[in-house]
Amino acid sequence: MREQKKQATREALRAAALRLALERGPDNVRVDDIAEAAGVSPRTYNNYFSSREQAIVAAVAGERETRVAAAVIDRPDGVGLADAVVEAVVDQYTASDAPGQEALLLITTRPALRDAFIDTTTAIERPLTEAIAERLGDGDPHTARVLAASVTAAVRVAIEQWLQTTVSSFTAGGLVVPSGSLPDLLRATLAPLTPALDAAEQRALRHRHR
Amino acid sequence: MREQKKQATREALRAAALRLALERGPDNVRVDDIAEAAGVSPRTYNNYFSSREQAIVAAVAGERETRVAAAVIDRPDGVGLADAVVEAVVDQYTASDAPGQEALLLITTRPALRDAFIDTTTAIERPLTEAIAERLGDGDPHTARVLAASVTAAVRVAIEQWLQTTVSSFTAGGLVVPSGSLPDLLRATLAPLTPALDAAEQRALRHRHR
DNA sequence: GCTTAAAGTTGCGCATGCGCAAATTTGCGT
DNA sequence: ACGCAAATTTGCGCATGCGCAACTTTAAGC
């Protein structure tokens, strides 16, 4: 039906939320304001976002979940599953850094926003499950689900650590050494999972040859 | 002996929440009722539990998080890390089944309670991180954290699946084959992670020998 | 073009979650 | 035993989240 209109209002809410948060500071924005700015009723706002923070964060997170999944599938078959996943994740998380630099600064300072941002990582789990299942061949969808959940959890750990070092390197005025760029952090946290990804890939290959 | 009282009220709230939920059905229990039954103000209730469902679910979950961690550490050194973790998790999740059988039945039916129960899995992550770090030797706490997060995620997947098949085997009147006992499900979901756990263990060993 | 059913939106009402500051309890030193 | 400081409980107020039912819009069938 009107998928168009639905996505349009969704986008309008995102934009309005981010704009208002940047203008007045996130604490001075009520849901009613966002709804009004987007031209919908407050009740409708809650049909799209279940919390006030979600809209603001969604503006930064964008459609990361779908892009990650697509990126995993798009890697050529020659690349191992582990590399495909890691690089796809890193790409999508570094790509989305550019647009909302100032927004990220805002997010890191408010605990509620930080939590909401961390929660966005879980959104990649479902698409990632399908992407991994596709690469493994549909032998065992169960394994794909567990691997996707693990990768998602590792990404969350990376983001948590990144946010933590980011904020402390601000408050401490540079005394704390930032533990590395986000890409490096992501690679580091995902590294311990490569054996699991490799093993699943090998199993799938062996299974396919029989 | 301040801790005593705090844990006492916590326990009182748990018990009251579960009792009332079983008596009247979970939808007919207000937070005020639980608080009153436990002899504290409603506001204090929220100092202990951040949602109405948490108290009910906590009565079933108990202190699982600490027990899992202890169980992991208690396994003899001869047992591999992977086995130690898997068996510790399985033990603690099957042990806690006995007490609240009827409570679990209640939980499976209400979506809000199901979600709250699923959320309890995340509580094991922090203690599990320390337990794994202990076993790996404090070479790289980073790895322990990722592994713990992954294990936690896998457990969550198992619980989700278990709840789903449980409820559908009720609604469908037995047409759906329950996909196995909870212990089996846990072992199955954790299986794909063993390569990662083994690899970390080997790395730690090699590192220790140098 | 008109009718009709489904999808989406809105207003209402209620309970929840939580920040804040005052009041109360607890533990400790003297 | 006394009083002080820290921790905890409590009341208050406000905004949020969401179920529900009425209302409006959209797409499709005839």
Side-chain angles (χ1 to χ4, degrees):
Chain A
M1 266 201 229
R2 256 316 177 275
E3 274 313 305
Q4 300 280 343
K5 194 162 194 173
K6 278 187 66 169
Q7 294 306 327
T9 31
R10 189 178 218 92
E11 185 52 37
L13 284 170
R14 274 187 200 170
L18 181 58
R19 184 174 57 82
L20 290 176
L22 286 174
E23 275 179 14
R24 319 181 185 173
D27 294 338
N28 301 328
V29 182
R30 320 273 117 236
V31 274
D32 299 29
D33 304 334
I34 304 178
E36 191 185 10
V40 292
S41 91
R43 184 62 184 84
T44 300
Y45 171 89
N46 276 321
N47 288 343
Y48 284 91
F49 298 101
S50 54
S51 92
R52 185 170 55 93
E53 289 80 10
Q54 265 188 19
I56 304 178
V57 165
V60 177
E63 306 294 336
R64 188 175 290 148
E65 60 270 11
T66 49
R67 293 201 312 262
V68 170
V72 168
I73 295 181
D74 282 358
R75 309 274 152 173
D77 276 17
V79 186
L81 175 61
D83 284 340
V85 169
V86 171
E87 293 311 314
V89 169
V90 170
D91 278 5
Q92 295 309 319
Y93 265 93
T94 51
S96 64
D97 273 359
Q101 283 291 22
E102 44 191 350
L104 274 181
L105 216 56
L106 192 76
I107 287 175
T108 52
T109 54
R110 315 281 166 165
L113 285 178
R114 284 213 325 225
D115 291 349
F117 184 66
I118 290 173
D119 279 347
T120 61
T121 57
T122 65
I124 70 172
E125 184 171 331
R126 186 178 290 267
L128 191 58
T129 299
E130 288 161 28
I132 294 181
E134 171 125 1
R135 276 203 160 244
L136 287 182
D138 303 310
D140 180 18
H142 210 76
T143 302
R145 183 140 176 234
V146 174
L147 292 177
S150 300
V151 169
T152 303
V155 171
R156 174 180 53 77
V157 169
I159 299 291
E160 282 174 355
Q161 210 129 16
W162 184 63
L163 287 178
Q164 194 175 344
T165 64
T166 301
V167 68
S168 57
S169 64
F170 279 131
T171 58
L175 282 184
V176 175
V177 179
S179 66
S181 64
L182 182 53
D184 291 345
L185 249 173
L186 282 169
R187 275 186 243 268
T189 54
L190 287 174
L193 289 180
T194 43
L197 291 165
D198 288 342
E201 195 173 26
Q202 293 308 318
R203 256 185 73 90
L205 273 179
R206 250 179 290 132
H207 202 275
R208 211 175 301 164
H209 279 293
R210 269 197 279 118
Chain B
M1 308 321 143
R2 223 165 181 154
E3 278 311 307
Q4 299 280 342
K5 193 161 195 173
K6 276 188 67 169
Q7 293 307 327
T9 30
R10 190 179 217 90
E11 184 53 38
L13 285 171
R14 274 187 201 168
L18 181 58
R19 183 174 58 80
L20 290 177
L22 287 174
E23 276 180 14
R24 319 182 185 172
D27 293 339
N28 301 328
V29 182
R30 318 274 117 234
V31 191
D32 299 28
D33 304 333
I34 304 178
E36 191 185 10
V40 293
S41 92
R43 185 62 182 83
T44 301
Y45 171 89
N46 275 321
N47 289 343
Y48 285 90
F49 298 100
S50 54
S51 92
R52 185 170 57 93
E53 289 80 10
Q54 265 188 22
I56 304 178
V57 165
V60 178
E63 306 294 336
R64 189 175 288 148
E65 60 270 11
T66 50
R67 293 201 312 263
V68 170
V72 168
I73 296 180
D74 283 358
R75 309 275 152 172
D77 276 16
V79 186
L81 175 62
D83 284 342
V85 169
V86 172
E87 292 311 314
V89 168
V90 170
D91 278 4
Q92 295 310 319
Y93 265 94
T94 51
S96 65
D97 273 0
Q101 283 290 23
E102 45 190 349
L104 274 181
L105 216 56
L106 192 76
I107 288 175
T108 51
T109 54
R110 314 280 165 164
L113 285 179
R114 285 211 327 224
D115 291 349
F117 184 67
I118 290 173
D119 279 346
T120 62
T121 58
T122 64
I124 71 173
E125 183 171 332
R126 186 179 289 267
L128 191 57
T129 299
E130 288 162 27
I132 294 181
E134 171 124 1
R135 276 202 161 245
L136 287 182
D138 303 311
D140 178 19
H142 209 77
T143 302
R145 185 143 174 232
V146 175
L147 292 177
S150 300
V151 169
T152 303
V155 171
R156 174 180 53 77
V157 169
I159 299 292
E160 281 174 356
Q161 209 130 17
W162 184 62
L163 286 178
Q164 195 176 343
T165 63
T166 301
V167 69
S168 57
S169 64
F170 279 130
T171 57
L175 282 185
V176 175
V177 179
S179 65
S181 64
L182 181 54
D184 291 345
L185 248 174
L186 282 169
R187 275 186 242 270
T189 53
L190 288 173
L193 289 181
T194 43
L197 291 164
D198 288 344
E201 194 174 27
Q202 293 308 318
R203 255 185 74 89
L205 274 178
R206 252 179 287 130
H207 202 274
R208 210 176 301 165
H209 279 294
R210 269 197 277 118

